[in-house]
């Protein structure tokens, strides 16, 4: 390509990235300054404070690591898991599977507690696994399983783990900003998230937070963390006290401007209001999709508001419908992952993408395309159902 790249203006209603607010994009276009410039060092403290608000934590070790959510995941595992440890991994979708991979690569033994894809993690199964494996040191689970749309009870799972003397690693990549998440109140020891889901930033940053007990494990390790880049004892010198900041790697300066702005937007709206907004638009989308005749994969009580998985009607060409949505409506929805590939669509309502215009656009576009593809859906009722549900939600 010999000319500038101008991407199309899409509406992003998949599993992430979500639509980015113009405020965030404008913030990212501000001048790049040195990452050890005193002005930038003070700004980093502001990012940390805003993240503490979003995570509902007073943990001093709260910061965005430089990399996508997967790097935050890796940072939690390589720092807390030592060779020879036993780690209980709750797996009810793709990301639980990746947690297991991380445990293995840390030289530890995973004990997997499996639940069906599309269901929450079963607390009783976790309890039993902990009874059977008293040597376990850690429990890892996904709060919001974006691969299926299931929400697990993070508070309950953490309390069970703690009762058995285990620390907790929680994947809150899509939970942050979308559903209630209270790191301190729930006692989550290590949590990672991502910038491009309900925070509505471009991808590339992973907010993490470590509680006191987790920090004790990290600083008391008998073996060094095998990843130099993700070693928190080194990163603490960079993101820690502003007085003693020393070079570790070059932080993605402009990406952090974006995250800061997104966190400001979240604080202006208020966490409770943001959670309520996701729920209200989910109810409108649900009413519209169900009026079309599309069925949700996850039982109602375990559903995420910001990731809606629905079964693809029999005889409908998955890729063709998604292709037409993108081409004709500039609308992106997500495909199924793993064992749900080809069986479901994943419709995201995350952060800046979570608004009534998008709900109606998605329901209307799906109706038009499914009708023209000859799918057995109800027509002429879905938009009104979504609007009515929104009005009464
Ligand atoms: C998106 C996601 C990740 C991975 O984040 P990346 O930014 O793609 O690396 C991990 N866990 C969950 C639950 C996610 O939704």
């Amino acid at each position: 390509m010999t000319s500038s790249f101008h991407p199309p203006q899409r509406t992003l209603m998949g599993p992430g990235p979500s639509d980015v607010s113009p405020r965030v994009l404008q913030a990212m276009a501000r001048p790049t300054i040195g990452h050890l410039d005193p002005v930038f060092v003070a700004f980093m403290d502001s990012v940390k404070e805003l993240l503490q608000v979003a995570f509902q934590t007073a943990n001093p070790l709260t910061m965005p690591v430089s990399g996508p959510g997967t790097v935050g995941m890796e940072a939690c595992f390589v720092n807390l898991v030592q060779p020879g440890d036993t780690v209980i991994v709750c797996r009810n979708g793709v990301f639980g599977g990746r947690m297991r991979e991380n445990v293995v690569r840390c030289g530890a033994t995973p004990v997997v507690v499996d639940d069906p894809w599309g269901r929450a993690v079963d607390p009783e199964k976790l309890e039993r696994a902990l009874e059977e494996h008293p040597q376990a040191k850690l429990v890892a689970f996904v709060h919001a399983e974006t691969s299926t749309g299931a929400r697990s009870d993070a508070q309950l799972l953490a309390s069970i783990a703690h009762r058995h003397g285990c620390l907790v690693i929680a994947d809150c990549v899509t939970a942050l900003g979308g559903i209630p998440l209270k790191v301190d109140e729930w006692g989550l020891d290590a949590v990672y998230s991502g910038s491009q889901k309900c925070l509505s930033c471009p991808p590339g940053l992973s907010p993490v937070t470590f509680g006191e007990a987790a920090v004790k494990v990290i600083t008391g390790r008998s073996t060094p963390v095998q990843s130099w880049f993700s070693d928190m004892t080194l990163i603490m010198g960079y993101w820690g006290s502003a007085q003693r900041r020393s070079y570790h790697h070059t932080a993605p300066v402009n990406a952090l401007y974006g995250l800061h702005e997104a966190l400001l937007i979240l604080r202006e709206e208020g966490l409770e209001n943001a959670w309520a907004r996701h729920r209200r638009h989910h109810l409108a989308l649900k009413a519209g999709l169900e009026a079309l005749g599309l069925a949700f994969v996850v039982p109602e009580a375990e559903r995420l508001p910001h990731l809606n998985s629905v079964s693809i009607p029999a005889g409908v060409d998955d890729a063709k419908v998604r292709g037409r949505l993108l081409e004709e409506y500039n609308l992106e929805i997500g495909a199924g992952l793993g064992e749900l590939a080809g069986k479901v669509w994943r419709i995201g309502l995350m952060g800046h993408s979570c608004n009534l215009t998008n709900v109606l656009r998605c329901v209307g576009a799906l109706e038009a395309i499914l009708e023209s593809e000859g799918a057995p859906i109800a027509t002429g009722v879905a938009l009104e159902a979504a609007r009515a549900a929104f009005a009464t939600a």
Side-chain angles (χ1 to χ4, degrees):
M1 218 179 291
T2 53
S3 59
S4 305
F5 177 57
H6 292 278
Q9 186 73 53
R10 306 285 201 206
T11 297
L12 300 178
M13 297 182 74
S18 56
D19 287 341
V20 178
S21 157
R23 257 180 78 177
V24 170
L25 293 174
Q26 281 157 13
M28 292 175 74
R30 291 177 193 144
T32 303
I33 58 175
H35 72 129
L36 296 174
D37 184 315
V39 174
F40 191 73
V41 169
F43 163 81
M44 285 165 87
D45 284 340
S46 174
V47 173
K48 286 188 346 190
E49 282 163 25
L50 287 170
L51 268 182
Q52 287 172 327
V53 174
F55 273 131
Q56 296 280 280
T57 184
N59 289 340
L61 193 55
T62 301
M63 73 197 67
V65 297
S66 305
T70 305
V71 172
M73 177 189 281
E74 193 164 288
C76 287
F77 282 89
V78 298
N79 281 280
L80 289 177
V81 181
Q82 300 191 62
D85 284 353
T86 296
V87 180
I88 311 249
V89 177
C90 303
R91 179 171 63 184
N92 60 341
V94 165
F95 295 104
R98 286 193 182 178
M99 287 179 142
R100 184 195 169 278
E101 290 298 313
N102 273 277
V103 171
V104 171
R105 288 176 191 226
C106 291
T109 307
V111 172
V112 177
V113 176
D114 268 311
D115 273 298
W117 287 43
R119 297 300 307 269
V121 172
D122 182 347
E124 283 175 23
K125 282 192 195 163
L126 172 61
E127 183 93 53
R128 248 174 286 141
L130 283 160
E131 281 161 10
E132 284 163 21
H133 301 275
Q135 77 280 25
K137 289 207 172 134
L138 275 164
V139 169
F141 60 82
V142 181
H143 185 196
E145 222 341 319
T146 325
S147 65
T148 67
R151 164 200 210 143
S152 293
D153 188 338
Q155 182 175 21
L156 178 58
L157 297 176
S159 73
I160 294 170
H162 290 153
R163 234 190 310 110
H164 289 267
C166 286
L167 297 192
V168 157
I169 296 178
D171 177 326
C172 297
V173 173
T174 55
L176 185 63
I179 55 172
L181 168 61
K182 300 175 179 182
V183 169
D184 285 0
E185 195 181 316
W186 298 353
L188 305 176
D189 301 290
V191 176
Y192 58 92
S193 186
S195 53
Q196 79 277 25
K197 315 273 178 137
C198 291
L199 295 181
S200 279
C201 285
L205 284 170
S206 178
V208 297
T209 184
F210 295 90
E212 212 179 312
V215 171
K216 226 169 139 190
V217 171
I218 296 169
T219 52
R221 287 178 61 109
S222 51
T223 54
V225 171
Q226 72 265 31
S227 162
W228 186 88
F229 177 69
S230 292
D231 184 342
M232 276 296 151
T233 62
L234 303 176
I235 293 176
M236 281 176 210
Y238 187 51
W239 271 98
S241 159
Q243 284 77 45
R244 292 183 283 105
R245 198 153 290 169
S246 60
Y247 171 62
H248 175 262
H249 66 283
T250 310
V253 170
N254 293 56
L256 288 167
Y257 299 164
L259 179 63
H260 184 266
E261 196 69 21
L263 291 168
L264 273 183
I265 293 171
L266 181 60
R267 198 181 65 174
E268 286 164 16
E269 180 178 18
L271 278 176
E272 277 84 5
N273 292 336
W275 301 334
R277 174 168 53 86
H278 283 88
R279 170 141 187 86
R280 191 171 183 212
H281 290 87
H282 157 73
L283 291 174
L285 179 68
K286 163 188 177 295
L289 295 173
E290 288 183 340
L292 287 176
L294 299 175
F296 272 75
V297 174
V298 178
E300 191 152 6
E302 299 170 7
R303 250 174 235 165
L304 293 171
H306 56 270
L307 197 287
N308 298 267
S309 287
V310 289
S311 297
I312 299 172
V316 168
D317 183 338
D318 167 26
K320 186 169 179 206
V321 170
R322 283 186 294 107
R324 285 189 61 184
L325 283 170
L326 198 60
E327 229 169 80
E328 297 167 28
Y329 294 86
N330 267 312
L331 177 65
E332 179 178 279
I333 65 168
L337 266 190
E339 61 182 66
L340 295 179
K343 296 181 187 154
V344 307
W345 287 317
R346 293 181 302 148
I347 303 175
L349 276 177
M350 298 184 183
H352 195 64
S353 294
C354 179
N355 60 64
L356 188 60
T357 306
N358 283 357
V359 169
L360 297 177
R361 175 177 300 175
C362 180
V363 170
L366 268 176
E367 175 173 336
I369 292 173
L370 288 174
E371 187 184 14
S372 86
E373 294 288 324
I377 57 152
T379 57
V381 289
L383 286 172
E384 190 41 42
R387 247 186 255 114
F390 186 74
T392 55

